[in-house]
Amino acid sequence: MYSSPPYSLGYPSEHAQSSYYLGTQRITYDEIAAVSRVLEEQKIFVENTRVRKIILDDSESLEVLQASVKKTQERLLSAEGARSNSVKLIRGDHSEELNNICSALSEAKKHASSEVQRLFLSQYIESFESGSLEAYRDSQRTWIKDKTPRIENIFGFVEPYRDPYGARAEFEGFVAITDPEETKSLKKLIDHSDKFIRHLPWVEGSIEGDNNAVPFEKSIFEPPALNSMHSLAYCSSIIFPGINLPNYNDIRQDCGFKNLIIANRMAIESGHPQVITFKDPLNLMIYQKCRSAAYYLWVVLHELFGHGTGKMMIQESETRYNFDIRDPPVNPLTGKPIDQWYKPGQTWTGQFGDLATTVDECRAELAGAYLMDNLDLLGLFGYTEKSKITSDDMIQNLYLQLVVDGIRGLANFNAADGKWGQAHSRAHFAMLKCLLTDGNGLMSVEGKVEDRNLVIDLDRSKILSHGKPALGRMLLKLHIFRCTADVDSCRTYYESMSRVDGRYLEWRSLVLASRQPKMVFVQPNIFIESNEIILREYEASREGLIKSWYERKV
């Protein structure tokens, strides 16, 4: 009763816990990795699974609990897991909740506006009932075809941010209303996207039209959907300002993807108070003046050019590759032909594990930041040297946001076990560290212990000459590591860039001392009462949050 429970998310230990890994006996990293290998061999995706460690009659076994409405008896997958443990599959995890969700989706099908919508809703139901993620992958292929719906939605086991292993996902539900006017303004960027991709580090310098010279980028960039919308309900532990889906890279490369910009979520972020001290008053003025505009555009570029670019080097079968194996592409980091790629059945998240989500977010943030100084791109959104918020203002604000976000991110580092609790925060800190160590005096951060404060300074004259090249070098490394499945090099580099020690630990203490309360999102529900649609909103309080979830009855 008086014992202190684990106080953070992570691999089960004295200090951390995870609902993905259950059992009275702590499961080890090696056992989790062994289960993942067994599931990969059996061609079972892990996103909708949890693992439970069982000891019965001195015999250990690892049970894979797969989320589905249908319940089945355990099925032996392997008798040779970690330390000779057997690995068993049991369907029916979260059966009651998924049954309620399937009933609601069946009702939603009656109001679908197209056959495409009816099809992916049916595929959602098939997946949730059976536990098959192949059916869910089919739903994503169909969902992509629904380019600009008036009502957008996402359901399923989508994001793996809370799994310390970086593979298992939480269930989320999202419904939003598309804003046609805001979406129309984004179409100009889509129409010119191929032009801006040519400014990314792994494409720069190539001859337009010479696809063989750009092995780490898709030969044809199919303009994806890029829609601005207002969220009606976003049920997830993290409410993102922008979404790029699906997460399956093979589907993204073969079928495309969709970018969703959550405008009302962004408005809340840009108005959230922050405790920041700038050494130069001009930097403070620029930051306050442009923060909302620069943040919006950065998120747009992050989703479109960060998550939307790149080509994985994949061996599709014993004799089939998506590159010329007789004359492999040259790795720009080594100057030699690549000698690593994804083997049959291997995926980005499966290979990179706990690194996958944070490296992917870091790469996307870097891509958006790297393109932010393109004057033609800024001009599409009305930012010129003569506009109220000038192009120079936007560029300067981006680098101020980089340092602010990197510092704020330290609040999500757990000094007790040396682990990061949030993928985006780790990415932001790694980018800050890149600019501090490779920016040749571009920026500085000074800790004021007596004031419990951090003072930020930025040398505007070095943004393009030193800041951008530093970001470009980091971006190219992460991109090539990702494309070539070079896990070891990526881990060595990224863990170094995101390591928190020395002065960074001192900064963390100051950040925590002046930390603002986290945002809590209270969202409405829709009910049908006497054939009338009722939108019910709730008080912006803890009580309102609890009541909204209780009345949602999921």
Side-chain angles (χ1 to χ4, degrees), residues 273-332:
Q274 298 186 48
V275 179
I276 304 161
T277 300
F278 292 96
K279 188 173 184 178
D280 185 341
L282 180 59
N283 281 334
L284 176 60
M285 185 271 289
I286 293 292
Y287 183 77
Q288 293 175 333
K289 174 184 175 184
C290 313
R291 178 184 168 199
S292 179
Y295 177 66
Y296 177 84
L297 185 53
W298 188 16
V299 170
V300 169
L301 300 181
H302 165 116
E303 300 298 340
L304 181 58
F305 298 115
H307 291 309
T309 57
K311 178 183 176 182
M312 306 290 207
M313 301 292 102
I314 300 173
Q315 180 183 352
E316 298 167 347
S317 66
E318 188 174 340
T319 58
R320 186 177 176 185
Y321 300 76
N322 71 341
F323 60 93
D324 188 349
I325 189 62
R326 295 164 300 180
D327 185 21
V330 173
N331 184 330

Side-chain angles (χ1 to χ4, degrees), residues 369-400:
Y370 190 77
L371 294 175
M372 194 75 158
D373 66 348
N374 188 293
L375 297 181
D376 291 338
L377 190 156
L378 290 169
L380 291 177
F381 291 86
Y383 302 115
T384 68
E385 61 181 17
K386 296 181 180 179
S387 56
K388 184 176 180 180
I389 295 178
T390 69
S391 51
D392 283 346
D393 290 341
M394 291 289 282
I395 296 167
Q396 182 177 336
N397 184 278
L398 182 277
Y399 282 81
L400 292 170

Side-chain angles (χ1 to χ4, degrees), residues 280-513:
D280 185 341
L282 180 59
N283 281 334
L284 176 60
M285 185 271 289
I286 293 292
Y287 183 77
Q288 293 175 333
K289 174 184 175 184
C290 313
R291 178 184 168 199
S292 179
Y295 177 66
Y296 177 84
L297 185 53
W298 188 16
V299 170
V300 169
L301 300 181
H302 165 116
E303 300 298 340
L304 181 58
F305 298 115
H307 291 309
T309 57
K311 178 183 176 182
M312 306 290 207
M313 301 292 102
I314 300 173
Q315 180 183 352
E316 298 167 347
S317 66
E318 188 174 340
T319 58
R320 186 177 176 185
Y321 300 76
N322 71 341
F323 60 93
D324 188 349
I325 189 62
R326 295 164 300 180
D327 185 21
V330 173
N331 184 330
L333 303 179
T334 65
K336 300 176 181 178
I338 64 169
D339 56 7
Q340 290 180 263
W341 48 81
Y342 293 89
K343 306 301 189 295
Q346 292 181 346
T347 64
W348 154 248
T349 52
Q351 293 306 108
F352 283 77
D354 61 315
L355 284 181
T357 52
T358 182
V359 169
D360 210 29
E361 292 305 327
C362 188
R363 177 186 164 281
E365 292 283 53
L366 285 163
Y370 190 77
L371 294 175
M372 194 75 158
D373 66 348
N374 188 293
L375 297 181
D376 291 338
L377 190 156
L378 290 169
L380 291 177
F381 291 86
Y383 302 115
T384 68
E385 61 181 17
K386 296 181 180 179
S387 56
K388 184 176 180 180
I389 295 178
T390 69
S391 51
D392 283 346
D393 290 341
M394 291 289 282
I395 296 167
Q396 182 177 336
N397 184 278
L398 182 277
Y399 282 81
L400 292 170
Q401 290 209 35
L402 285 170
V403 64
V404 169
D405 287 353
I407 289 171
R408 286 174 58 197
L410 284 166
N412 288 312
F413 177 76
N414 188 330
D417 60 10
K419 301 293 184 182
W420 283 93
Q422 217 281 339
H424 295 76
S425 296
R426 185 177 182 182
H428 289 146
F429 175 73
M431 294 168 67
L432 168 63
K433 199 169 180 180
C434 166
L435 292 173
L436 288 170
T437 58
D438 195 27
N440 196 28
L442 166 72
M443 57 178 58
S444 65
V445 179
E446 182 182 358
K448 297 285 188 180
V449 178
E450 63 279 6
D451 299 326
R452 294 168 54 176
N453 197 12
L454 288 161
V455 179
I456 298 166
D457 198 19
L458 174 74
D459 185 344
R460 296 181 292 277
S461 69
K462 292 185 175 182
I463 287 176
L464 298 183
S465 60
H466 296 83
K468 180 171 183 172
L471 294 181
R473 287 187 287 272
M474 185 178 192
L475 174 57
L476 182 61
K477 287 177 181 177
L478 296 184
H479 182 75
I480 299 303
F481 295 154
R482 179 177 181 269
C483 289
T484 60
D486 190 352
V487 180
D488 291 340
S489 296
C490 185
R491 185 171 295 280
T492 299
Y493 175 72
Y494 195 72
E495 288 187 347
S496 171
M497 295 305 298
S498 57
R499 184 174 298 118
V500 181
D501 54 14
R503 60 174 177 164
Y504 305 121
L505 282 174
E506 296 175 4
W507 295 357
R508 174 183 174 275
S509 298
L510 294 174
V511 168
L512 292 176

